[in-house]
Amino acid sequence: VSTDPAAIDAFVARILDGSVRAGARAMRLVDDREPIAGAILDRLYRHTGRARVIGITGNPGSGKSTLTDRLVAHYRRQGKRVGVVAVDPSSPFTGGAILGDRIRMNQHATDPGVFIRSLATRGNLGGLSRSTNDVVAILDAMGFDVILLETVGVGQDEVEIVKLAHTSVVVLVPGLGDDIQAIKAGILEIADVFAINKADRDGADRTIRDIRNLQMLADVAASGWTPPIVRTVATTDEGVAELVDAIAAHEAHAQDADSDAPERLRRREAHILESLIRDRLVERMAEALGDAPTRRALLERLVARETTPYAEAQRVLDGLLRG
Ligand SMILES: Nc1nc2c(ncn2[C@@H]2O[C@H](COP(=O)(O)OP(=O)(O)OP(=O)(O)O)[C@@H](O)[C@H]2O)c(=O)[nH]1
Ligand SMILES: [Mg+2]
């Protein structure tokens, strides 16, 4: 893509037209941190905000990808176009293989109404958040109605990424036992819908009871929305239609007077804005700290107490603010 404004406009028009080639190309530009990506995203952004972003978060191996694969099939039957963003997929989609930058789910590989993209956890916190935001914005601009965002729900990165979702599904498996106590704060905060996947295993009832108890203790009903708990067996599609209904109910609740949806939309923009600023600051900090020898020399001076991190931090910040 040339930097000529007319060429950028033409490229942007192709993305808005839903061209898979142009969309994939834009994502590569984002990945490679090409400066032109910023200009493209800036032009696309006004056309975004139509897609419904659904986060699918859960522990490794809880069945997120299998469930996502099933959800795609359900939404396709409703005639919706579906984008999938898998952040750090440590295991491939069911029966799929990673082909270039596209994970192909068996049944959806040749469906033009489905676009699947994986993102590796490689950069810093802001970097991953920002790439995810950018890819979701491109899919949104391409006209995908639903965007499924699969993230492993363990680290801070993922909690950040979930802020992008309009509805966030937390996938749990039976037999969590006492673990649920450890994760309760985190999951209660982010879940709009619980999927108890692998419900073909023992212990699903117990897990559901545990969550209900936690919800009661936290008095979630007071917020106007009590996250429904749906049992699923992703491998056989059992309960997936009910999960789709629970997600739709959460979307419908956004119209209610007591919904926090307007506040969430603002929080979503705050998250995107702050990710951009943080990511650029981190980049510029790295530049300001200089090349490896310069950095090392500074660290040696710190070790020798010839200077202090307080003074050096101020010096770097002053430089950034002036520059
Ligand atoms: N018994 C049973 N197995 C399931 C179910 N759902 C998924 N699995 C299996 O669990 C394993 C992990 O499934 P994935 O969909 O890859 O899980 P994931 O959460 O995406 O895993 P990561 O991306 O590695 O975190 C696979 O072998 C699935 O076939 C289920 O409902 N019941
Ligand atoms: Mg997965």
Side-chain angles (χ1 to χ4, degrees):
V1 183
S2 102
T3 52
D4 170 36
I8 296 180
D9 284 343
F11 182 64
V12 164
R14 285 177 55 218
I15 297 171
L16 293 175
D17 222 35
S19 158
V20 166
R21 279 193 56 183
R25 181 87 198 278
M27 290 177 197
R28 279 197 302 276
L29 294 171
V30 163
D31 257 5
D32 299 342
R33 298 282 163 126
E34 293 285 345
I36 195 156
I40 293 165
L41 286 160
D42 181 57
R43 280 175 174 71
L44 288 176
Y45 202 76
R46 284 175 210 280
H47 302 277
T48 64
R50 291 173 297 192
R52 189 79 197 165
V53 182
I54 301 166
I56 311 288
T57 310
N59 287 334
S62 54
K64 299 177 296 297
S65 297
T66 316
L67 210 47
T68 298
D69 183 64
R70 295 290 183 177
L71 288 171
V72 170
H74 280 259
Y75 287 122
R76 290 301 290 143
R77 282 199 289 276
Q78 294 180 0
K80 291 176 173 151
R81 296 176 67 215
V82 189
V84 177
V85 182
V87 179
D88 190 21
S90 46
S91 70
F93 278 81
T94 22
I98 297 171
L99 295 176
D101 56 14
R102 240 183 127 171
I103 305 176
R104 305 207 176 240
M105 295 186 283
N106 264 354
Q107 52 175 325
H108 309 299
T110 56
D111 181 349
V114 179
F115 190 107
I116 301 153
R117 171 85 185 182
S118 66
L119 286 173
T121 312
R122 37 152 198 217
N124 51 65
L125 170 67
L128 183 63
S129 258
R130 179 178 156 193
S131 316
T132 308
N133 299 346
D134 292 349
V135 168
V136 167
I138 293 167
L139 289 169
D140 191 340
M142 287 168 78
F144 286 98
D145 303 295
V146 175
I147 298 169
L148 299 171
L149 187 55
E150 177 191 340
T151 62
V152 178
V154 282
Q156 187 58 37
D157 278 24
E158 292 72 25
V159 174
E160 277 292 300
I161 287 164
V162 166
K163 291 181 182 164
L164 206 57
H166 298 104
T167 298
S168 117
V169 177
V170 169
V171 184
L172 297 174
V173 295
L176 234 47
D178 295 334
D179 292 353
I180 203 156
Q181 294 301 326
I183 56 171
K184 66 180 178 183
I187 60 167
L188 275 184
E189 237 166 69
I190 67 168
D192 299 306
V193 174
F194 286 100
I196 310 304
N197 191 45
K198 308 201 183 182
D200 51 327
R201 293 193 183 165
D202 288 344
D205 292 331
R206 161 89 201 271
T207 306
I208 291 171
R209 259 200 324 274
D210 285 347
I211 297 169
R212 290 238 165 86
N213 285 335
L214 291 172
Q215 287 180 325
M216 244 154 20
L217 285 173
D219 196 17
V220 287
S223 74
W225 175 258
T226 304
I229 308 169
V230 183
R231 276 165 205 268
T232 57
V233 183
T235 39
T236 63
D237 206 39
E238 216 181 301
V240 180
E242 288 76 7
L243 180 59
V244 169
D245 289 345
I247 294 167
H250 183 251
E251 180 173 4
H253 171 65
Q255 307 303 321
D256 297 348
D258 60 354
S259 163
D260 69 343
E263 168 60 16
R264 277 176 68 150
L265 287 181
R266 289 189 293 270
R267 275 209 306 259
R268 188 170 186 269
E269 298 309 313
H271 161 70
I272 294 169
L273 180 66
E274 287 165 16
S275 297
L276 272 172
I277 297 172
R278 190 188 314 123
D279 199 32
R280 286 195 193 164
L281 281 176
V282 168
E283 261 169 38
R284 290 184 52 193
M285 174 181 76
E287 281 163 28
L289 288 175
D291 59 11
T294 310
R295 212 184 146 96
R296 189 187 163 112
L298 170 61
L299 298 178
E300 303 281 12
R301 288 175 53 230
L302 284 166
V303 170
R305 296 296 186 268
E306 290 164 18
T307 182
T308 73
Y310 307 97
E312 294 305 322
Q314 194 58 51
R315 180 183 60 79
V316 168
L317 277 171
D318 288 345
L320 288 187
L321 294 174
R322 263 198 313 275

